Amino acid sequence: MLSSLHSPRHLLLHHRYPNLPLPSKPLSSSPKSLHTSNSQTLPLSPPPPQSPTPTSQILTTRESLLARRTTALDLAETFLRRLRRTEPHLHSFLHVSDAVLKEAEAIDRKIEQNEAVGPLAGILVAVKDNICTADMPTTAGSRVLEGYQPPFDATAVRKLRESGAIIVGKTNLDEFGMGSTTEGSAYQVTANPWDLSRVPGGSSGGSAAAVSARQCVVSLGSDTGGSVRQPASFCGVVGLKPTYGRVSRYGLVAYASSLDVIGCFGSSVADAGILLHSISGHDRFDATSSKRQVPDFALQFISKDFLESKPLKGLRVGVIRETLDDGVDPEVISSIRGATSHLEELGCTVTEVSLPSFSLGLPAYYILASSESSSNLSRYDGVRYGNQVAADELNSLYEHSRAKGFGSEVKMRILMGTYALSAGYYDAYYKRAQQVRTLIRENFKDALDKNDILISPAAPSAAYKIGEKKNDPLAMYAGDIMTVNVNLAGLPALVLPCGFVEGGSNSLPVGFQLIGAAFEEEKLLKVGHIFEQTLQGCNFIPPLVADDFAC
């Protein structure tokens, strides 16, 4: 149920923005050696009922820096201090950069000298550890790449740096993106900032948790079957999966190449949209990247003060019937019904739509993703890529290097994919899965011809306990049913928090998913931004850091 708090405030480029509600004490020590035992607990309490709701931190920061009301160094120290305080409990990061304060000082010098700075100047961005960074390790959460430092930046990272962003560190993930909880990392388990006993989702759980706990402003994740959207729902943040081809995959460690996309996390729709704009566009290093012109997503972010009484009047919204069936938590369904009612209040025409092939998406996805992963991960043999185990014979070297380097989930998916591609089984599994993929695309096209957007839950439940589904892979895979179809169809989707469900000692956030036609991220961002501004009663700052933002 939605309670009644004051509604969120958001920003216009020509609006006067308030200062960030951040303390400004100096950093007392470096951010190294952050990881301690996760057995420690922090006192958790509900967020204060009148604490400020999130604004666009990117726009706020830029305005404050250019107005000389704060410095990039002060902001960096504040985020690093919060990161150092919360990280022993969350384990969001696998590596934290040593250059954050130095880069912040360089931005301050440019501003002092009246030099131009990029649109993301001073913004701390975390990057999922399967996206290459030249100055930090990239392990993809696997022992097979332990210690590997790429000689180049991924295109998305390069564009962030060119925009003035500061890369604060590399976030934890399920090994090679294969998982839904971030428990599949070879290094550590990440906790949910809303409840340290629960998972943050996956595979981009580290990136989602980092934004939720305000360890950074925004972050990059990757989404193969929901790995941005499901953790966004679990952690109460905004998650944006762009159209396949909108963002270059160059420098993204491949899992399933026809499904992988780099996505964005933010504490507001505006931040996620601005981040997407900065990394989008054609890339000559990625033949699958689109040559379409990238629109200015910021034009969709109109202040609440300028909205009409029915700002979404005439928008046709289709609720996917199959996503509200048995198997979905009743409280999640209630939250989604509440979100659809709110859209109706904003002027939308809401109807139910059916996607007959929806239930076929999950098995088709796992066949296709596993098949592509078995091919992509064949390069990690200890000779071409990956850490090498000494052996007297070449086949033994391959065998032992892969056996030691890969975790159990990765091995299982490689075996599944190899089986599906083998002689005698190709037509029965891989070919049939591709046929199902075509049906799913056609079903989405039919539904989106009649509706402007489609909506569904982002996950069948709120965040569950750490270890609850680790030994039941089929139950874990079933949790992806809301998201995998979108990847199979190559469509964009936006997840934003819409309410809470009861869970243990704390309420847990729930997100709902907006799905649009290919390359219509603008429409999703416009709808999401208006929904976010006008939603009453939800403050999505987790108890872990609520005191930092108390009035």
Side-chain angles (χ1 to χ4, degrees), residues 42-94:
L42 291 179
L44 297 179
S45 58
Q50 294 299 324
S51 61
T53 50
T55 60
S56 172
Q57 292 190 66
I58 292 176
L59 296 179
T60 298
T61 297
R62 180 169 182 80
E63 197 274 342
S64 295
L65 289 175
L66 295 182
R68 314 292 176 91
R69 290 198 299 270
T70 189
T71 66
L73 182 61
D74 284 343
L75 293 173
E77 288 177 336
T78 296
F79 277 98
L80 287 176
R81 183 168 59 254
R82 187 181 299 119
L83 188 156
R84 188 177 63 251
R85 174 168 57 85
T86 57
E87 183 59 13
H89 308 279
L90 293 180
H91 293 222
S92 303
F93 285 85
L94 293 176

Side-chain angles (χ1 to χ4, degrees), residues 134-376:
D135 58 345
M136 284 178 273
T138 299
T139 69
S142 178
R143 293 291 180 188
V144 79
L145 284 174
E146 186 172 9
Y148 172 66
Q149 185 159 321
F152 67 97
D153 281 333
T155 297
V157 173
R158 174 179 58 79
K159 288 187 173 185
L160 288 177
R161 295 190 196 275
E162 290 172 353
S163 297
I166 299 171
I167 308 302
V168 64
K170 305 298 290 294
T171 56
N172 195 28
L173 69 155
D174 290 294
E175 186 177 4
F176 284 101
M178 299 181 187
S180 304
T181 65
T182 315
E183 294 172 285
S185 170
Y187 300 99
Q188 60 193 24
V189 174
T190 299
N192 191 314
W194 289 86
D195 183 339
L196 299 179
S197 69
R198 296 179 184 268
V199 300
S203 64
S204 306
S207 290
V211 171
S212 179
R214 283 27 177 204
Q215 295 176 319
C216 58
V217 179
V218 288
S219 66
L220 293 185
S222 66
D223 193 311
T224 305
S227 292
V228 164
R229 290 161 288 151
Q230 183 247 30
S233 178
F234 281 11
C235 292
V237 297
V238 175
L240 177 56
K241 176 228 175 271
T243 306
Y244 184 84
R246 173 68 83 185
V247 178
S248 171
R249 292 183 298 110
Y250 180 71
L252 171 65
V253 177
Y255 165 16
S257 301
S258 72
L259 302 167
D260 296 339
V261 296
I262 293 176
C264 307
F265 291 99
S267 58
S268 69
V269 173
D271 283 347
I274 293 168
L275 181 63
L276 176 62
H277 183 269
S278 71
I279 63 174
S280 295
H282 177 66
D283 178 18
R284 65 187 181 90
F285 295 117
D286 177 9
T288 65
S289 64
S290 173
K291 294 183 179 180
R292 286 176 179 251
Q293 184 175 0
V294 180
D296 186 355
F297 299 130
L299 296 178
Q300 306 303 317
F301 307 140
I302 301 173
S303 170
K304 178 184 176 183
D305 298 335
F306 295 90
L307 294 178
E308 300 174 356
S309 59
K310 299 283 186 182
L312 297 179
K313 185 177 181 180
L315 190 82
R316 300 166 301 168
V317 175
V319 181
I320 302 174
R321 182 181 305 142
E322 290 81 3
T323 66
L324 300 176
D325 288 340
D326 293 340
V328 182
D329 190 312
E331 287 189 275
V332 171
I333 294 177
S334 177
S335 292
I336 302 305
R337 296 291 187 196
T340 57
S341 295
H342 184 57
L343 288 172
E344 288 180 312
E345 293 170 0
L346 295 171
C348 295
T349 301
V350 179
T351 58
E352 277 198 352
V353 300
S354 178
L355 300 181
S357 61
F358 186 85
S359 63
L360 303 177
L362 195 63
Y365 165 80
Y366 274 100
I367 289 171
L368 295 174
S370 297
S371 298
E372 293 186 31
S373 70
S374 73
S375 175
N376 278 324

Side-chain angles (χ1 to χ4, degrees), residues 504-516:
S505 59
N506 299 294
S507 295
L508 300 172
V510 173
F512 81 116
Q513 178 174 224
L514 306 175
I515 304 167

